[in-house]
Amino acid sequence: GENVEQHPSTLSVQEGDSAVIKCTYSDSASNYFPWYKQELGKRPQLIIDIRSNVGEKKDQRIAVTLNKTAKHFSLHITETQPEDSAVYFCAASDRGSTLGRLYFGRGTQLTVWP
Amino acid sequence: DARVTQTPRDKVTEMGQEVTMRCQPILGHNTVFWYRQTMKQGLELLAYFRNRAPLDDSGMPKDRFSAEMPDATLATLKIQPSEPRDSAVYFCASGSPSGVEQFFGPGTRLTVL
């Protein structure tokens, strides 16, 4: 099955700086890559996703890039704010064969210092 | 704002007791996933259903865990008998027929003493 690896496991940045979280996947058939944000004690929430037919997607301060050849994708957060502090999870899916199953990375604890 | 709901939100029980967790997926969603989250293992997929039929429950310890969807608005996860190592947060997520996005419920925090 699919194997998703995520790095780093922890990341600390100063408010206003950028943060980058990287994930790799193993199954070249994967075609959907979401990112979830989980605040302490809360549910994981979908914040952005990308499909394999595009290389980059932006939504205000967050962006995701995808390199299908290298089988890696990244989350970029610019102008970080303390409220960005959370655990971020990447995931991969091949909807066709796995009927929507997501394979998750282990998560990155992001801390933004004011 | 349609959301997945889960009950109970918190459950403390003693080892050996039966635990039942419930999930109401978003109306119209036909795929339901059960996850377990611990610090050690991260997010683990236990089982998932499409149109109420189980697709994969290979992530579940079969001897004590069972998952069902008695109808399209209710999914259940049962542990019998519970053990301290089952202590975790259990999330349900649902997905729509037309998309691949999954939306998570608030979770059930289970503590087995």
Side-chain angles (χ1 to χ4, degrees), chain A residues 31-32 36 38 41-46 49 51 87 89 93 95 97-106, chain B residues 3-4 31 33 35 37 39-43 45 48 50 55-56 91 96-97 99-102 104-106:
Chain A
N31 53 20
Y32 173 68
Y36 286 81
Q38 187 178 25
K42 302 286 181 66
R43 71 185 82 193
Q45 289 199 294
L46 178 67
D49 56 18
R51 285 163 169 78
V87 178
F89 293 94
S93 172
R95 187 175 187 272
S97 68
T98 61
L99 295 175
R101 175 181 177 166
L102 294 178
Y103 295 85
F104 282 91
R106 292 298 304 267
Chain B
R3 287 199 167 195
V4 178
T31 312
F33 302 82
Y35 293 92
Q37 187 175 40
M39 290 294 292
K40 189 174 180 182
Q41 298 294 337
L43 268 170
L45 180 66
Y48 65 112
R50 171 153 290 198
L55 290 184
D56 188 345
F91 287 103
S96 70
V100 292
E101 299 89 347
Q102 288 185 26
F104 281 75

Side-chain angles (χ1 to χ4, degrees), chain A residues 5-100:
Chain A
E5 299 203 351
Q6 183 172 347
H7 301 280
S9 57
T10 61
L11 180 60
S12 291
V13 299
Q14 202 75 33
E15 183 177 1
D17 288 349
S18 295
V20 180
I21 303 170
K22 299 181 179 181
C23 289
T24 60
Y25 61 99
S26 61
D27 189 349
S28 57
S30 289
N31 53 20
Y32 173 68
F33 307 91
W35 286 87
Y36 286 81
K37 175 184 180 182
Q38 187 178 25
E39 296 175 359
L40 189 63
K42 302 286 181 66
R43 71 185 82 193
Q45 289 199 294
L46 178 67
I47 56 171
I48 193 167
D49 56 18
I50 190 167
R51 285 163 169 78
S52 59
N53 57 346
V54 297
E56 184 175 4
K57 183 176 178 181
K58 285 185 182 179
D59 183 3
Q60 299 184 337
R61 296 187 297 108
I62 60 173
V64 58
T65 58
L66 171 64
N67 183 326
K68 284 211 73 180
T69 304
K71 294 207 281 286
H72 67 69
F73 57 112
S74 301
L75 178 71
H76 305 253
I77 306 174
T78 58
E79 299 172 25
T80 53
Q81 300 168 3
E83 50 265 40
D84 295 328
S85 297
V87 178
Y88 291 81
F89 293 94
C90 64
S93 172
D94 168 18
R95 187 175 187 272
S97 68
T98 61
L99 295 175

Side-chain angles (χ1 to χ4, degrees), chain B residues 11 19 22 26 43 54 64 71 77 80 91 93 96 99 104 112:
Chain B
K11 176 72 175 179
V19 175
R22 293 175 176 81
I26 294 171
L43 268 170
R64 298 184 299 107
D71 63 60
L77 179 67
Q80 168 61 24
F91 287 103
S96 70
F104 281 75
V112 184

Side-chain angles (χ1 to χ4, degrees), chain B residues 2 4 10 16-18 20 22 28 30 42-43 53-54 56 62 65 71 74 86-89 93 100-101 103 110:
Chain B
V4 178
D10 279 282
Q17 295 298 305
E18 178 179 301
T20 299
R22 293 175 176 81
N30 67 339
L43 268 170
D56 188 345
K62 300 290 192 311
F65 284 60
D71 63 60
L74 177 65
D86 301 328
S87 297
V89 180
V100 292
E101 299 89 347
F103 299 92
L110 174 64

